[in-house]
Amino acid sequence: MADQKPQIFELNNGTMQVKITNLGCTITSLSLPDKNGNLADVVLGFDSVEPYLNRVAPYFGAIVGRVANRIKDGKFTLNGVDYTLPVNRPPNSLHGGNKGFDIVVWEVAEYKKGEKPSITFKYHSRDGEEGYPGDLSVTATYTLTSSMTMRLDMEAVAENKATPVSLAQHTYWNLGGHNSGNILDQSVQIWGSHVTPVDQNIVPTGEIMPVKGTPFDFTTEKKVGASIHEVGLGYDHNYVLDCGEEKEGLKHAAKVKDPSSSRVLDLWTNTPGMQFYTANYVNGIVGKGGAVYGKHSGLCLETQGFPNAVNQPNFPSVVIQPGEKYEHTMLFKFSIE
């Protein structure tokens, strides 16, 4: 394992090309056609692994964990034991701490080419790593299941202690192309009729609030920019996903549409929540081909357990017991509409 170096792997099925590095299972590039057949790369990122290693832009494209999002004051209690985590985003612990899953080198367990190319990454998170209890075996598999569909399967098994686990895929999407400007004109629909409101430190209060009549309402298709000025810096909120129609055990979480290219992304998942984030803190980052990424230059659809769930008894539990398996699937269905 120690000899594994960060490198970039490609999945290509003739229509869609995805580049992923074993550093944080990070999607560095995803190219697909528009209505005229023109290819564009629709994820924000960098041309090489160095900027990811140096955290030039936090979490671009990566899988974050052991626990995604914020844990209040970097503290929780489990089975009568108090745990203290790194407070890497004061006053909270964010996305797994100082050295989360996004910045470790994963092992490539399997790499298949062909009609349904896939790659499987493995990581062993040890007991006490970043303050978390117990050994955890994690796998993440990206598969191009059809010409315009990518599936991500994340699994984790707690080996010897109960632990919170909540992984998230933190890609910044821009369906117009990573260098096409901001996403305010793109329309979004979210199959979530409630959000979990937050305090001044962006930690949920525990309340579950209906979005109806608020700027958070994306239950019908709406431009991202329509009421973004009413929510402070922009959207950075956890949506409670509705239990709607299911497809292979997955529910529809979100749909994004870019008017200029006619590219559409439909996201299906099995998690209770999804962080909708509009790149509020991205500011003058120089990315692929010298593109400069500014505020709102992408959007994140991070399916997840609820933020700070480990400290909120009324939120769905993110704790798994020894021998239990955490399973999180995301299905990214691209199309032209």
Side-chain angles (χ1 to χ4, degrees):
M1 280 257 308
D3 60 352
Q4 297 251 340
K5 289 190 171 63
Q7 49 181 308
I8 293 173
F9 301 87
E10 187 185 307
L11 300 179
N12 193 334
N13 62 8
T15 306
M16 195 160 113
Q17 178 204 53
V18 187
K19 291 180 180 170
I20 306 165
T21 166
N22 53 337
L23 180 74
C25 299
T26 299
I27 298 173
T28 65
S29 154
L30 191 152
S31 297
L32 72 163
D34 66 3
K35 61 186 175 199
N36 301 317
N38 299 318
L39 287 178
D41 179 354
V42 298
V43 307
L44 273 52
F46 304 101
D47 290 313
S48 67
V49 293
E50 280 71 34
Y52 296 99
L53 267 173
N54 300 330
R55 280 202 160 148
V56 170
Y59 316 116
F60 267 24
I63 289 181
V64 297
R66 183 177 298 198
V67 174
N69 219 301
R70 291 167 181 83
I71 292 181
K72 188 182 166 96
D73 302 328
K75 290 184 166 65
F76 67 91
T77 303
L78 190 55
N79 295 339
V81 182
D82 295 338
Y83 294 96
T84 305
L85 312 170
V87 175
N88 60 318
R89 191 63 57 91
N92 307 305
S93 190
L94 177 71
H95 292 331
N98 293 323
K99 193 177 180 186
F101 292 180
D102 64 295
I103 201 78
V104 298
V105 177
W106 296 49
E107 179 191 340
V108 177
E110 194 174 41
Y111 184 27
K112 291 187 196 152
K113 307 230 166 164
E115 208 174 302
K116 293 188 176 179
S118 70
I119 189 162
T120 299
F121 299 101
K122 269 190 352 195
Y123 180 65
H124 183 265
S125 176
R126 57 179 205 287
D127 183 15
E129 188 174 318
E130 293 300 304
Y132 287 96
D135 291 284
L136 189 74
S137 290
V138 195
T139 63
T141 302
Y142 292 94
T143 311
L144 303 189
T145 51
S146 70
S147 65
M148 297 270 276
T149 304
M150 178 177 73
R151 181 180 172 116
L152 169 59
D153 291 292
M154 294 174 269
E155 293 187 352
V157 176
E159 292 178 14
N160 39 36
K161 290 182 189 171
T163 181
V165 181
S166 178
L167 307 182
Q169 216 301 340
H170 210 301
T171 292
Y172 288 70
W173 301 98
N174 185 334
L175 295 182
H178 74 102
N179 55 355
S180 67
N182 69 51
I183 45 82
L184 299 176
D185 218 28
Q186 299 180 17
S187 63
V188 167
Q189 184 172 358
I190 298 172
W191 277 258
S193 44
H194 296 79
V195 287
T196 50
V198 292
D199 64 17
Q200 71 278 13
N201 296 318
I202 326 186
V203 172
T205 59
E207 189 195 344
I208 307 241
M209 179 186 91
V211 296
K212 195 175 162 69
T214 76
F216 300 104
D217 190 348
F218 284 92
T219 52
T220 54
E221 201 173 294
K222 179 172 95 175
K223 283 200 188 305
V224 175
S227 31
I228 198 169
H229 54 282
E230 297 173 45
V231 293
L233 288 173
Y235 295 97
D236 191 3
H237 294 78
N238 173 59
Y239 280 73
V240 179
L241 297 177
D242 302 334
C243 299
E245 67 160 309
E246 289 207 349
K247 210 190 219 152
E248 297 162 36
L250 304 178
K251 55 194 173 183
H252 211 165
K255 176 181 183 173
V256 185
K257 189 173 175 183
D258 172 51
S260 58
S261 67
S262 297
R263 286 191 192 91
V264 173
L265 165 57
D266 279 284
L267 175 61
W268 295 71
T269 192
N270 62 343
T271 58
M274 182 188 77
Q275 193 83 4
F276 176 51
Y277 174 55
T278 49
N280 311 327
Y281 301 105
V282 173
N283 180 7
I285 289 166
V286 180
K288 287 175 279 196
V292 178
Y293 305 138
K295 189 178 180 184
H296 307 320
S297 56
L299 53 84
C300 300
L301 306 166
E302 307 159 57
T303 56
Q304 61 178 4
F306 293 3
N308 196 38
V310 72
N311 291 311
Q312 281 289 356
N314 64 315
F315 284 180
S317 175
V318 292
V319 173
I320 60 169
Q321 301 301 324
E324 272 188 355
K325 186 188 275 190
Y326 161 92
E327 294 178 302
H328 178 177
T329 295
M330 302 175 81
L331 195 65
F332 302 90
K333 289 181 67 85
F334 297 97
S335 57
I336 306 291
E337 205 174 272

